[in-house]
Amino acid sequence: MNIAQDPVIYTDETVFLKDYQKPTFLVNSVYLDIQVYDDHTIVDAVLDMKRQTSGNLVLLGRDIELKEVQLNDQVLSAEQYQLDAEQLVILNAPEHAIIKTKSIIHPESNTMLEGLYQAGDIYVTQNEAEGFRKITFYPDRPDVLSVFTTRVEANKKFPVLLANGNLLETGQAGDDRHYAIWEDPTKKPSYLFACVIGDLAVLKDSYVTSEGREVALEIYAEDKDIPKCHIAMEALKHSMRWDEEHYGLPYDLDNYMIVAVSQFNMGAMENKGLNIFNTSCVLADEAYTTDDAIMRVQAVIAHEYFHNWTGNRITCRDWFQLCLKEGLTVFRDQSFSEDLQSAAVQRIDDVSVLKAHQFPEDAGPLSHPPRPDHFVEINNFYTMTVYEKGAEINRMMANLLGKEKYRQGTDEYFRRHDGQAVTVEDWVYALSAGSGIDLSAFLLWYSQPGTPSLVAEGQYDQATESYRLTFKQRLKAHPKYPNLKPVPIPIALALFHPNTGEQYPLNSTALVSNQPDGVYLFDQEEAVIEFTGLTEQPVVSLLRNFSAPVNLEFDYSDEDLAFLIQHETNGFNQWQATQTLLERILLKDHVADIYIQALTHALPQLIQKDPLLASRLLDVPSESYLASRIDHNYQPFTVFEKREALLNALAQHLGGFWKETYHALNPALQTEFSQAKGERALQNIMLSFMARQGDADVFTLAEQQFYQNKNMTQRVGALKVLVWNDAPIAKQALQDFYDQFKDEALSLDLWFMLQAAHPQATRETIQALTEHPDYDLGTPNRIRSVLGGLNSHPVHTWDFGVQHVIDLAIYLDQKNPILGARLLQVLSRWYTLAEPKRSEVKDVLLALQGQVKSKNVVETLTSMLSA
Ligand code: TRP
Ligand code: ZN
């Protein structure tokens, strides 16, 4: 099929960037009164609105029962407005309109986790992107900014009543009810509105900003979870300091609240002054959660805090600009995390995510530019491309400017646009103006889909002692984006002396002059650059630190890669060399010997110096990553077998190394988190290799590690080895884990995940887990733990996993379509499968079409089927 010739069809529900129009009315102020009762909630709203352009006064509203509407104190009769399932139109509205509405909503039966919903004992809101219109009638779009005052009233069994801003007043509302009034002085779009009503405990602290403002910090959670909030609190203070030091941005209110909820669709939400978090992104305690989860908590705390400036004070003009706030904020949280652990490892982890998830997304039917130009359901665009590729674009620009100029650029952005709703252009122009360097060519990155291929060739000339590099870039045609142009690709590089392993000084006029290391800015379709003064043919290392989000095609020899594993001083490229070599072994049948030798040389030293980086050098690309590199005729079982063979070879060839290293390490003696984490990661890797070797002591060691440690990373690592290898004690250990953690949802998620990820899991394994009394379709974390575990084996995904995903999609289509659409994407690479599997899965997806209704799931399914 020639996709380029297919007509591109849009449905009438599609929204286009090019159709953007200014709002007809602005809102000067909003007063909300939310009264929660067990079987309904009353919402009274007063909107002070002012006309800006001609047209109707339109208020968006969905699933709300409208009781009464007034315009300038007159109750409107049915002829004076129009109401349908999506909006309330006030006919003939004057210049200045005070709209009062009274309406009824049902948070107690809202399963979509959007708008106001009840989750266990608490009521919370989630309004990004378009949830506010499920609370009250409102011009629910990000370019309408207003000042919010909120009164919340509820039964006293809910002692905590929170909303954005400062607490103005509290009081009684009858015998068993009470209220609180909050006022948020900063203008904000409705998607940042939040309120919380519940029975929660709180951890308090405080922070003094660079401007001398004392800020009360509060983290709300269930009573038993308060001890697990300290890491988040420290991370919050650290983030506040970090943003002052790196961006000159202090916090602007007198309080900052975070609320932890166990039923939440994503990680967390940056509501102004009142963040709401998935418990998985706040609660952190080494006895209950893993090292990876602890890192994630710190990153998400920073992410949401950083949104206060990049997202909240400066927000998006429309939802097409989503990557303006997300791409920039992810780049900021990644930079923050580079201070928490070895920067090379942080970069490795971020690029691993990008390559394992964003690259495949961008190579398949769901591909879209970081700033899409049309969508049906915006919730389907909270994607890897918007977040992670968006972050990479900012990183490229920041690196190119260098620290000082980048700061001048961001200063200019905050100076120009504070308090505004802006576009990606506004950001890039402000960065350019502030730094004095024109970055407008980078706008192409935002508007074009697909991962560019960077094709490079090197040629050494002994006579002139010179080395030439030829670069070409290729962009894959996309039916909806026909005229792709070459993008600016910063290529960081180094040349190494082949014998000494030392870096050559770089002699070339082509390099960007303000960079201490070699960077070439490649912005043509093709270019050649030359280096001189090279006495021997150099070993080149390209795209150091992953300087651009591209697919590099360069004909390294296996020996060059082995050389880089040993000599590259950039930790990221050292890791990349292992991955490139492994990918060849796994997908192109290269022999493993060179890799094993290089590893044997590099590892022992590195384990001493940087155990965490050492653990990453032992990464073997996952089956799903390998699958993402195969575009047709993908046979899951073949990939599985090859990977197993390699792992077995590694297990055998390194002989006693695994056990010796296991015993040589002692994470308990490491005081520094990153070091301890590295040692724990290594010990877990060692255990699994010993299991592969069939080592006689492995179960004893795993049992000791499981029962003698209180650290969750160690316990789960050991439990995996016991369970996945069906050790005699496996059942007992699982039961003991369950008994100990049955009331700890996040720990129990690990228990579910680990069993779903059993290498010999079957349809029955999954069925037993989903029928377990602790399995809960109302809690996305639990659904994801089973699906995530299952998915760690693509052989299972494409076997019994397909039906599991389809069942979830059908159920969630009605109950929680945001989540349903996301989970369905697990099957998005169906078209790469070898026949007959490909047709089988396609038929299942076609059959699903008639069974789903939500915009979310329908749009995702339609795109998936367009492959
Ligand atoms: N803006 C949030 C973030 O980046 C993410 C988000 C968007 C979200 N929509 C959501 C979170 C719905 C929870 C539910 O941090
Ligand atoms: Zn975000």
Side-chain angles (χ1 to χ4, degrees):
M1 181 179 67
N2 183 350
I3 44 169
Q5 283 169 12
D6 256 20
V8 174
I9 299 164
Y10 300 102
T11 71
D12 358 328
E13 288 183 311
T14 308
V15 195
F16 295 91
L17 169 60
K18 66 173 166 42
D19 294 341
Y20 172 82
Q21 285 190 333
K22 284 192 175 171
T24 41
F25 276 81
L26 296 183
V27 182
N28 296 324
S29 68
V30 197
Y31 182 83
L32 280 180
D33 186 348
I34 301 177
Q35 302 142 54
V36 175
Y37 294 90
D38 284 348
D39 57 357
H40 70 288
T41 289
I42 302 172
V43 180
D44 292 313
V46 184
L47 315 182
D48 180 341
M49 304 184 73
K50 192 161 167 28
R51 183 180 286 284
Q52 206 194 193
T53 64
S54 62
N56 280 330
L57 192 162
V58 179
L59 302 174
L60 302 170
R62 191 181 292 161
D63 304 332
I64 305 177
E65 186 189 336
L66 180 65
K67 286 295 192 191
E68 184 183 285
V69 50
Q70 294 182 17
L71 167 63
N72 294 340
D73 289 326
Q74 301 291 313
V75 177
L76 296 186
S77 61
E79 312 80 66
Q80 292 172 296
Y81 62 88
Q82 292 166 348
L83 178 66
D84 65 23
E86 293 290 326
Q87 57 188 33
L88 168 64
V89 181
I90 312 288
L91 304 169
N92 308 314
E95 283 292 294
H96 184 198
I98 309 255
I99 306 284
K100 291 188 188 163
T101 56
K102 178 180 277 300
S103 32
I104 299 209
I105 54 174
H106 291 281
E108 70 282 359
S109 56
N110 176 357
T111 58
M112 297 197 183
L113 313 189
E114 190 188 41
L116 177 65
Y117 65 95
Q118 185 177 10
D121 288 338
I122 61 173
Y123 288 78
V124 290
T125 51
Q126 172 51 45
N127 292 330
E128 185 178 5
E130 299 180 337
F132 192 72
R133 64 189 65 182
K134 294 173 147 191
I135 297 177
T136 193
F137 292 94
Y138 196 81
D140 185 18
R141 42 186 287 171
D143 57 351
V144 173
L145 310 181
S146 189
V147 178
F148 284 68
T149 305
T150 311
R151 180 178 179 277
V152 207
E153 183 196 302
N155 190 289
K156 286 182 190 158
K157 68 183 171 188
F158 302 115
V160 174
L161 305 173
L162 308 176
N164 319 81
N166 301 314
L167 182 60
L168 283 190
E169 187 184 319
T170 57
Q172 304 291 314
D175 284 349
D176 54 355
R177 296 176 66 79
H178 65 156
Y179 73 90
I181 302 178
W182 294 80
E183 183 186 61
D184 185 355
T186 324
K187 279 192 159 204
K188 65 168 177 289
S190 50
Y191 82 89
L192 292 173
F193 170 81
C195 66
V196 175
I197 296 112
D199 185 3
L200 291 158
V202 59
L203 174 70
K204 296 189 183 197
D205 205 326
S206 69
Y207 177 82
V208 180
T209 69
S210 56
E211 293 176 330
R213 179 193 294 272
E214 180 159 342
V215 185
L217 308 178
E218 300 181 332
I219 303 183
Y220 290 84
E222 264 183 57
D223 204 19
K224 75 165 177 50
D225 289 332
I226 292 295
K228 307 186 190 89
C229 294
H230 294 284
I231 291 177
M233 184 63 89
E234 290 310 307
L236 175 59
K237 290 186 281 181
H238 186 180
S239 308
M240 295 175 96
R241 184 69 66 218
W242 193 92
D243 219 12
E244 290 170 355
E245 287 173 356
H246 292 79
Y247 284 82
L249 301 172
Y251 187 61
D252 56 353
L253 289 175
D254 297 332
N255 62 3
Y256 192 90
M257 300 174 277
I258 291 175
V259 178
V261 202
S262 53
Q263 283 152 318
F264 204 69
N265 269 342
M266 306 220 216
M269 180 63 213
E270 69 264 24
N271 316 302
K272 182 75 189 187
L274 177 54
N275 291 179
I276 298 178
F277 270 63
N278 188 322
T279 42
S280 70
C281 295
V282 197
L283 306 182
D285 184 327
E286 66 166 333
Y288 298 93
T289 61
T290 61
D291 289 341
D292 291 339
I294 292 173
M295 287 303 294
R296 178 155 161 79
V297 164
Q298 301 178 77
V300 179
I301 290 278
H303 180 94
E304 305 311 330
Y305 176 71
F306 295 158
H307 266 316
N308 189 57
W309 279 95
T310 51
N312 300 4
R313 289 192 67 120
I314 304 184
T315 193
C316 301
R317 187 192 71 172
D318 54 72
W319 290 118
F320 294 103
Q321 318 295 329
L322 181 59
C323 69
L324 168 76
K325 75 174 176 82
E326 296 305 343
L328 178 52
T329 305
V330 172
F331 171 57
R332 279 151 52 69
D333 83 56
Q334 290 178 348
S335 313
F336 170 83
S337 295
E338 281 171 16
D339 292 356
L340 300 182
Q341 64 176 353
S342 128
V345 172
Q346 184 61 37
R347 188 66 184 136
I348 289 167
D349 292 353
D350 292 334
V351 176
S352 300
V353 170
L354 185 82
K355 287 195 173 185
H357 303 288
Q358 195 277 325
F359 278 25
E361 176 174 279
D362 226 353
L366 300 175
S367 169
H368 54 276
R371 175 172 57 187
D373 58 13
H374 64 278
F375 60 72
V376 173
E377 169 54 63
I378 183 57
N379 277 304
N380 287 338
F381 285 85
Y382 287 77
T383 59
M384 281 286 154
T385 297
V386 168
Y387 278 67
E388 308 299 321
K389 187 174 181 177
E392 293 298 320
I393 303 171
N394 288 306
R395 181 184 294 268
M396 286 190 284
M397 294 191 291
N399 283 346
L400 204 61
L401 294 181
K403 223 176 167 171
E404 211 172 299
K405 288 208 164 71
Y406 175 63
R407 176 63 188 272
Q408 291 165 350
T410 60
D411 284 354
E412 181 64 8
Y413 178 63
F414 297 110
R415 197 188 62 71
R416 283 188 185 185
H417 297 299
D418 188 15
Q420 300 176 1
V422 305
T423 63
V424 163
E425 280 78 9
D426 292 322
W427 158 242
V428 175
Y429 294 155
L431 261 190
S432 303
S435 65
I437 294 183
D438 181 8
L439 296 166
S440 52
F442 281 86
L443 284 168
L444 283 170
W445 277 101
Y446 286 100
S447 56
Q448 301 189 153
T451 305
S453 289
L454 172 63
V455 186
E457 256 175 46
Q459 214 180 22
Y460 179 67
D461 181 16
Q462 180 72 73
T464 54
E465 299 192 336
S466 67
Y467 183 69
R468 282 156 66 96
L469 275 167
T470 308
F471 295 111
K472 291 183 192 141
Q473 60 173 301
R474 283 203 215 108
L475 303 157
K476 199 173 129 201
H478 186 294
K480 290 182 177 170
Y481 302 88
N483 303 312
L484 301 180
K485 299 200 181 73
V487 289
I489 302 178
I491 305 170
L493 53 86
L495 300 175
F496 292 89
H497 192 291
N499 307 131
T500 65
E502 300 283 316
Q503 241 174 280
Y504 275 115
L506 294 177
N507 275 323
S508 171
T509 50
L511 303 182
V512 181
S513 56
N514 73 348
Q515 300 289 320
D517 300 322
V519 177
Y520 170 57
L521 182 59
F522 172 49
D523 55 5
Q524 316 286 306
E525 241 153 77
E526 189 173 341
V528 184
I529 60 173
E530 196 174 68
F531 298 89
T532 54
L534 305 162
T535 49
E536 301 283 330
Q537 168 152 3
V539 178
V540 62
S541 186
L542 291 172
L543 223 58
R544 286 180 113 196
N545 228 32
F546 208 57
S547 58
V550 298
N551 265 312
L552 174 64
E553 293 173 28
F554 180 70
D555 198 14
Y556 286 111
S557 66
D558 288 358
E559 289 73 16
D560 286 349
L561 291 168
F563 174 96
L564 292 175
I565 293 175
Q566 290 170 69
H567 299 289
E568 175 51 291
T569 49
N570 179 274
F572 174 82
N573 267 31
Q574 186 182 20
W575 172 84
Q576 182 60 62
T578 63
Q579 300 305 293
T580 308
L581 198 45
L582 285 168
E583 203 176 311
R584 291 177 179 189
I585 297 166
L586 292 164
L587 296 179
K588 305 218 167 109
D589 294 318
H590 286 222
V591 286
D593 302 10
I594 292 184
Y595 166 74
I596 293 173
Q597 271 172 30
L599 203 61
T600 327
H601 277 118
L603 265 186
Q605 257 191 21
L606 199 60
I607 287 175
Q608 301 293 321
K609 204 178 90 196
D610 187 346
L612 195 54
L613 181 58
S615 74
R616 294 301 188 274
L617 287 205
L618 285 164
D619 281 346
V620 173
S622 69
E623 285 165 64
S624 60
Y625 171 74
L626 294 167
S628 80
R629 306 284 291 164
I630 303 173
D631 283 330
H632 34 249
N633 209 19
Y634 163 51
Q635 290 170 307
F637 193 71
T638 309
V639 173
F640 165 77
E641 279 186 310
K642 284 197 177 165
R643 190 166 178 278
E644 285 298 294
L646 174 72
L647 289 168
N648 290 335
L650 274 176
Q652 299 316 327
H653 277 83
L654 272 69
F657 169 80
W658 306 114
K659 200 188 222 164
E660 283 154 29
T661 313
Y662 184 88
H663 286 296
L665 296 168
N666 194 346
L669 296 182
Q670 297 294 344
T671 47
E672 214 261 314
F673 178 74
S674 184
Q675 295 284 113
K677 177 184 168 207
E679 294 212 356
R680 286 191 284 267
L682 280 172
Q683 278 200 319
N684 286 341
I685 295 172
M686 306 301 152
L687 266 189
S688 60
F689 275 111
M690 284 160 63
R692 264 181 202 280
Q693 290 176 318
D695 184 291
D697 298 332
V698 68
F699 290 153
T700 313
L701 287 175
E703 188 180 337
Q704 283 171 5
Q705 181 174 315
F706 179 71
Y707 284 104
Q708 292 173 11
N709 287 291
K710 287 206 161 56
N711 178 284
M712 186 54 85
T713 304
Q714 290 175 303
R715 303 200 65 178
V716 169
L719 188 59
K720 274 182 186 168
V721 167
L722 296 173
V723 173
W724 293 358
N725 295 287
D726 299 312
I729 198 183
K731 272 215 164 68
Q732 185 59 49
L734 267 177
Q735 186 61 44
D736 290 340
F737 187 100
Y738 179 81
D739 292 342
Q740 187 174 353
F741 295 109
K742 61 179 180 307
D743 297 321
E744 295 290 341
L746 299 175
S747 311
L748 208 54
D749 285 338
L750 296 167
W751 184 84
F752 273 95
M753 164 118 63
L754 191 146
Q755 294 177 78
H758 194 298
Q760 267 82 52
T762 60
R763 191 184 306 275
E764 289 68 35
T765 316
I766 301 305
Q767 192 180 344
L769 291 172
T770 55
E771 285 170 1
H772 192 280
D774 291 306
Y775 188 75
D776 174 20
L777 284 166
T779 304
N781 290 356
R782 193 56 47 87
I783 298 180
R784 287 181 198 274
S785 66
V786 171
L787 182 58
L790 189 169
N791 241 332
S792 59
H793 299 292
V795 174
H796 296 170
T797 307
W798 297 113
D799 184 359
F800 50 88
V802 174
Q803 197 53 48
H804 181 63
V805 173
I806 298 289
D807 291 346
L808 283 172
I810 292 173
Y811 177 83
L812 295 170
D813 177 55
Q814 298 189 14
K815 298 285 188 186
N816 183 347
I818 295 181
L819 184 64
R822 296 182 86 81
L823 299 189
L824 183 60
Q825 292 185 22
V826 163
L827 304 180
S828 65
R829 288 186 66 82
W830 64 271
Y831 65 96
T832 63
L833 291 164
E835 292 292 3
K837 198 90 220 172
R838 183 183 192 277
S839 299
E840 278 169 37
V841 181
K842 183 174 188 180
D843 288 344
V844 172
L845 291 172
L846 286 169
L848 180 63
Q849 268 192 315
Q851 302 180 64
V852 290
K853 290 197 191 61
S854 68
K855 271 193 195 179
N856 311 58
V857 178
V858 171
E859 182 187 29
T860 299
L861 183 57
T862 311
S863 305
M864 279 168 60
L865 282 165
S866 74

